[in-house]
Amino acid sequence: MRLPPPLAPLLLLAPSVAAQGTGVVSGQFVGPTGVGVAGANLDFFFASTGNAQNNVSNDGTGVGGIFNAVVPGGTYNVLFWPPTSTSLLPKWVNGVAVVAGLTTNLGVVQAAAGSLVSATFLRPGGITPVLGGHFHAVDAATGQEMLVQDPVTNASGQVEAVVPPGTYDFRLDPTLVLGPFLAPWQSLGVPVAGTTSLGTITLLPGFLVSATILGNGAPVADVDADVFPTAGGLKLYTPGDNSDGAGFVDFVVPAGTVDVRFDAPLADGLVTILVPGVVVAGTTSLGTLAMPPGFYLSGVVTAVFGGPLAGVDVDVRDAATNALLPTTGDDTNAAGAYVVVVPAGTWNVRFTPIGAPGYQSVLATGIPVAADTALDASLPTTACSPSAYGAPTPGSGGVAPALAANNPAFPGNPWFALQVSGGLGGMPGLVAIGLGPASLPLLGGTLLVSPVPSFLTLPVVLSGPVGSPGAGQAALPIPLPPSPVLVGGVVFLQEANLDPLAPQGIAFSNGLSVPVCL
């Protein structure tokens, strides 16, 4: 085999095979401009298992970036670690076959430029360095953890990493730091476009929180604990927060009041539990917690008459109380699919396109769950949105009824419904439906729906205590058939109900314009 001219003389420098069964991996390691990088380290990992091969000698680069590593025969993925001071990124070369007694020449291996990130960590009080904390750099967009050559803080509390330009979540795990517990640290969404110092960070004291998790009367392994400040804010960083085989889990947090959520593996079919308002001022035990069994609620979310939508958030609320049910893994995947675990009951399920811009949310109401249940949804574009217009006519207590829709109107939406709120409790009324808006004086108020060319009314009775101002509510489900001929139409609606203290005894709501679209 003919070698590139710059490397051909290097064969004379390659060490002879030192022991039976080993070969030599040679070449040159350079930076972006082609200049050799001395002092880099080569790590060899078995391609089949990912385990490290520790029986390697001469595994560094010398002058000019030359390397001649002696390695037992096998197939490896090789990781080149440039010195951190060079601000060069680590480089993988995969599938390197080493044959005993032969030299495998990798030619020129080139590293890309990166950005140096540094930080210094101190104990509470801001004087004593944190020795032995583990530093993590995670790509904020993809969740991928970056390779860090020496991720452990040194005797001065310092740590450095080289990463590509981007936006990162940086974290420090002090689990293995000797001495009193320290609260883990994180800084999210940090932009890195060049040499970046995170500064000097003083850690907070940490306190141990523990629990034992049971499901169906037995310990549950691999339950994940997530901790949120009760007052609101981002999820805390709590490394090591998964339960063991005995269902025991513990983690460290700073002092404060937190909500703790426990999520079992999806395959266990257990309902997520939430322990709210936990006051942490010292070592805290949450005792033994039982996760109730549940059922799988699953489906596929698509665009109306379109393909699957990824990144749609699925929220489940009690249909009677509107209380939010904690769920995990409740975003749709690339195929638009989702699956969550819920207890038996009747639920309202909202599909919110957080990761699907250009679409709007849809609310599925009154979904009964007594077994594994399929629930698909279609989302319309943001152009398809009901809107209020016109001024209402108040009644008792100066409160006017309000008319809204729980959903956009699109063909095939089985959950579309009108919602009346703020009327006089217990009163009867009507919802007027027309094909155009209006502003016509009527019975001391204003009719906002045109009576021509056609006019339709639906009866309604408001709930709530009879005669209580503002307590009257009603819902009018109007499932829409899956007919594309409806697209492009607009209807106009208004509610009116009896109210003895309204002008001429009738209180009128606002008008509501409802387009039917995709």
Side-chain angles (χ1 to χ4, degrees), residues 80-101:
F80 290 76
W81 287 109
T84 303
S85 59
T86 64
S87 294
L88 297 178
L89 295 171
K91 172 72 174 182
W92 282 101
V93 177
N94 296 327
V96 176
V98 178
V99 179

Side-chain angles (χ1 to χ4, degrees), residues 25 40 64 150 189 203 269 283 300 340 349 478:
V25 176
D150 188 0
L203 299 185
T283 300
V300 175
V340 295
V349 185
I478 307 177

Side-chain angles (χ1 to χ4, degrees), residues 348-351 360-365 377-380 384-387 404-410 412-419 476-480 512-516:
N348 293 341
V349 185
R350 181 171 291 280
F351 300 90
Q360 60 180 310
S361 66
V362 165
L363 176 66
T365 56
S378 295
L379 274 56
C384 186
S385 181
S387 58
N406 72 330
N407 266 315
F410 57 87
N413 184 354
W415 309 300
F416 182 81
L418 299 176
Q419 296 175 318
L476 281 75
I478 307 177
L480 300 176
L512 186 69
S513 171
V514 180
V516 181

Side-chain angles (χ1 to χ4, degrees), residues 42-484:
L42 283 66
D43 287 341
F44 289 77
F45 301 88
F46 290 99
S48 59
T49 65
N51 295 331
Q53 167 60 272
N54 295 318
N55 189 22
V56 180
S57 60
N58 202 36
D59 56 354
T61 61
V63 175
I66 304 305
F67 59 90
N68 292 285
V70 179
V71 191
T75 301
Y76 300 96
N77 297 331
V78 185
L79 179 58
F80 290 76
W81 287 109
T84 303
S85 59
T86 64
S87 294
L88 297 178
L89 295 171
K91 172 72 174 182
W92 282 101
V93 177
N94 296 327
V96 176
V98 178
V99 179
L102 298 179
T103 295
T104 300
N105 182 8
L106 300 184
V108 175
V109 178
Q110 190 169 50
S115 298
L116 182 66
V117 178
S118 61
T120 299
F121 293 91
L122 304 177
R123 290 180 176 272
I127 298 175
T128 307
V130 174
L131 171 63
H134 196 105
F135 186 72
H136 297 270
V138 179
D139 188 302
T142 66
Q144 178 183 0
E145 181 150 358
M146 299 292 105
L147 293 169
V148 178
Q149 184 167 7
D150 188 0
V152 178
T153 55
N154 61 23
S156 298
Q158 298 172 343
V159 68
E160 292 181 328
V162 178
V163 298
T167 302
Y168 291 91
D169 298 336
F170 294 110
R171 299 184 172 98
L172 188 81
D173 177 2
T175 300
L176 299 180
V177 175
L178 299 178
F181 288 123
L182 299 173
W185 169 89
Q186 65 179 356
S187 181
L188 307 181
V190 178
V192 175
T195 300
T196 302
S197 172
L198 301 178
T200 298
I201 298 106
T202 299
L203 299 185
L204 297 173
F207 300 97
L208 195 67
V209 178
S210 63
T212 297
I213 311 298
L214 302 181
N216 297 316
V220 185
D222 205 26
V223 172
D224 179 56
D226 287 332
V227 184
F228 301 84
T230 299
L234 299 173
K235 182 178 76 170
L236 301 183
Y237 175 44
T238 52
D241 59 2
N242 284 57
S243 62
D244 61 18
F248 180 78
V249 59
D250 60 4
F251 46 86
V252 176
V253 297
T257 303
V258 296
D259 298 338
V260 186
R261 191 179 74 188
F262 294 95
D263 299 312
L266 185 62
D268 290 347
L270 297 172
V271 176
T272 295
I273 57 176
L274 179 69
V275 184
V278 178
V279 178
V280 178
T283 300
T284 303
S285 173
L286 302 180
T288 299
L289 304 173
M291 304 188 76
F295 301 103
Y296 294 113
L297 178 67
S298 62
V300 175
V301 180
T302 60
V304 175
F305 297 117
L309 294 177
V312 177
D313 179 62
V314 182
D315 283 340
V316 182
R317 291 182 179 270
D318 188 291
T321 67
N322 203 40
L324 180 65
L325 179 73
T327 52
T328 186
D330 54 6
D331 289 349
T332 58
N333 61 20
Y338 75 94
V339 56
V340 295
V341 179
V342 303
T346 302
W347 307 99
N348 293 341
V349 185
R350 181 171 291 280
F351 300 90
T352 304
I354 294 175
Y359 295 87
Q360 60 180 310
S361 66
V362 165
L363 176 66
T365 56
I367 307 301
V369 174
D372 292 346
T373 301
L375 179 65
D376 296 335
S378 295
L379 274 56
T381 62
T382 52
C384 186
S385 181
S387 58
Y389 68 94
T393 303
S396 298
V399 181
L403 181 63
N406 72 330
N407 266 315
F410 57 87
N413 184 354
W415 309 300
F416 182 81
L418 299 176
Q419 296 175 318
V420 182
S421 61
L424 186 63
M427 292 294 106
L430 294 172
V431 173
I433 305 174
L435 298 179
S439 181
L440 303 173
L442 179 68
L443 299 174
T446 303
L447 178 64
L448 298 172
V449 177
S450 175
V452 294
S454 60
F455 193 81
L456 173 68
T457 60
L458 298 175
V460 63
V461 177
L462 303 185
S463 64
V466 175
S468 178
Q473 301 183 46
L476 281 75
I478 307 177
L480 300 176
S483 175

